[in-house]
Amino acid sequence: AKDAGRGVHRFYADAMHDQASERKAIEDALRDALANDELQLHYQPIVDVGSEHISGFEALIRWHRKSGEVVDPVKFIPIAEESNLIVPIGDWIIRTACASIARLGPGYRIAVNVSPRQFANEKLPSAIVSAVSAAGISPDQLELEITEGIFLDESPENLAMFQKLKRTGVRLALDDFGTGYSALGYLKKAPFDKIKIDQSFVLGAADPSSMNAAIISSIVGLARALGMETTAEGVETHDDLALIRGLGCSHVQGYIYGKPVSIEAALDMLRDNCGQ
Ligand code: C2E
Ligand code: CA
Ligand code: CA
Ligand code: CA
């Protein structure tokens, strides 16, 4: 029994070692990914519920490795975050998104995801200001999506960063709303323009047995009272779309309108959209 126990222990130790070395391998490859042009932003349309026109896009990162493999952001963003590679990658994301906004033209927005380490970096506001001015766009065409996770730390530093970002003229969206330990009090202290309702509440919301419609309805009411817009994420079906529309969300994002695509395909979508 003692031997067997040791065997199990070694099994777990090996598995942990494999995980650590895979993580290290991804980190090393990611370090070169920027220089080797392996990162791309894809753009998913965000549709205005009232007009049914595209109001903008969310930029979502993709990593095309030389091997041909496409790595999912959920697999490498956490590693970029832990290794601090998210700072140079994040700068690249912001500059690339601003250049894409210039191609979309005035009146359209692109949202980028900002991770906690990036948010904590004191150089973020100046990086944004220089990217916006280099692209020659209006700052309110850039929206920063910040996940609820940041609110776990209700520090004065975080509040100060929100104010600094707001003063650059960009828009702020609270991402994945409802999934974290959302401090409701924080919603009125931080200058958000939009709440993004997490897809876990949206997928299958039209199913009468789920409580999701009631939850979405309260989030919309809260957002309205605070003067914020709402985007329902992950809308896939016509039933869910009809429900979301009825509940008063201002914007919709999901496969029903389109998956994330290249900037060229996004520009094509806009041309079609304007012809509607
Ligand atoms: P997120 O910010 O919540 O992004 C939405 C995710 O939902 C995207 O996955 C998108 O492709 C997916 N999605 C959109 N509509 C639908 C739908 O109708 N049905 C379903 N089932 N899924 C839908 P993606 O691109 O794999 O990104 C996953 C997460 O990785 C993002 O979640 C975000 O947290 C992170 N991420 C992606 N790009 C970036 C980035 O540039 N920077 C940072 N920091 N994080 C990023
Ligand atoms: Ca997002
Ligand atoms: Ca989200
Ligand atoms: Ca998410």
Side-chain angles (χ1 to χ4, degrees):
K2 211 174 168 196
D3 279 356
R6 207 175 292 141
V8 167
H9 184 260
R10 180 173 308 141
F11 174 79
Y12 283 116
D14 285 354
M16 262 157 71
H17 180 261
D18 287 352
Q19 251 175 26
S21 52
E22 196 205 330
R23 204 197 147 284
K24 183 75 174 65
I26 293 179
E27 183 184 323
D28 288 343
L30 194 54
R31 216 174 282 284
D32 300 328
L34 257 185
N36 295 341
D37 249 7
E38 293 172 14
L39 299 179
Q40 271 180 20
L41 291 184
H42 279 196
Y43 300 91
Q44 184 178 33
I46 298 174
V47 173
D48 181 285
V49 172
S51 69
E52 290 187 77
H53 280 186
I54 294 172
S55 61
F57 297 86
E58 178 177 358
L60 294 154
I61 200 165
R62 302 289 180 260
W63 179 14
H64 296 264
R65 296 190 64 171
K66 288 279 180 286
S67 60
E69 184 198 357
V70 182
V71 192
D72 216 17
V74 298
K75 249 187 131 175
F76 71 88
I77 290 292
I79 294 173
E81 177 77 9
E82 283 163 41
S83 59
N84 233 12
L85 281 169
I86 196 66
V87 173
I89 292 173
D91 281 348
W92 175 85
I93 291 169
I94 290 166
R95 279 184 281 111
T96 305
C98 287
S100 291
I101 292 170
R103 295 184 67 184
L104 298 182
Y108 292 107
R109 299 198 288 248
I110 288 180
V112 298
N113 292 284
V114 172
S115 73
R117 275 268 177 107
Q118 231 184 318
F119 182 87
N121 189 293
E122 60 183 17
K123 296 200 181 83
L124 180 63
S126 61
I128 287 168
V129 169
S130 66
V132 163
S133 90
I137 59 168
S138 168
D140 64 1
Q141 291 182 274
L142 180 67
E143 187 167 82
L144 308 182
E145 295 194 2
I146 295 153
T147 55
E148 262 196 301
I150 288 168
F151 292 89
L152 287 178
D153 178 8
E154 282 195 31
S155 63
E157 287 80 13
N158 278 350
L159 269 185
M161 180 55 86
F162 278 118
Q163 298 301 342
K164 270 184 209 143
L165 292 172
K166 192 67 198 167
R167 279 198 294 273
T168 68
V170 299
R171 290 168 46 96
L172 301 174
L174 181 54
D175 203 359
D176 301 334
F177 188 77
T179 58
Y181 302 88
S182 47
L184 288 179
Y186 235 90
L187 260 185
K188 59 174 190 186
K189 287 187 214 151
F192 288 108
D193 301 286
K194 174 182 265 190
I195 292 175
K196 297 197 76 176
I197 304 171
D198 191 67
Q199 57 189 49
S200 58
F201 299 109
V202 176
L203 279 167
D207 178 349
S209 70
S210 91
M211 298 293 284
N212 287 348
I215 294 171
I216 294 169
S217 172
S218 355
I219 298 174
V220 171
L222 177 69
R224 280 210 177 136
L226 296 169
M228 297 170 190
E229 296 177 348
T230 40
T231 297
E233 296 191 275
V235 176
E236 292 186 354
T237 67
H238 287 282
D239 284 354
D240 290 340
L241 179 61
L243 180 95
I244 292 299
R245 190 178 280 139
L247 293 175
C249 285
S250 60
H251 295 80
V252 161
Q253 181 181 354
Y255 293 168
I256 190 162
Y257 285 118
K259 292 191 171 178
V261 292
S262 69
I263 182 64
E264 282 75 24
L267 288 164
D268 283 345
M269 287 181 88
L270 268 194
R271 275 187 283 271
D272 294 347
N273 179 61
C274 294
Q276 263 174 13

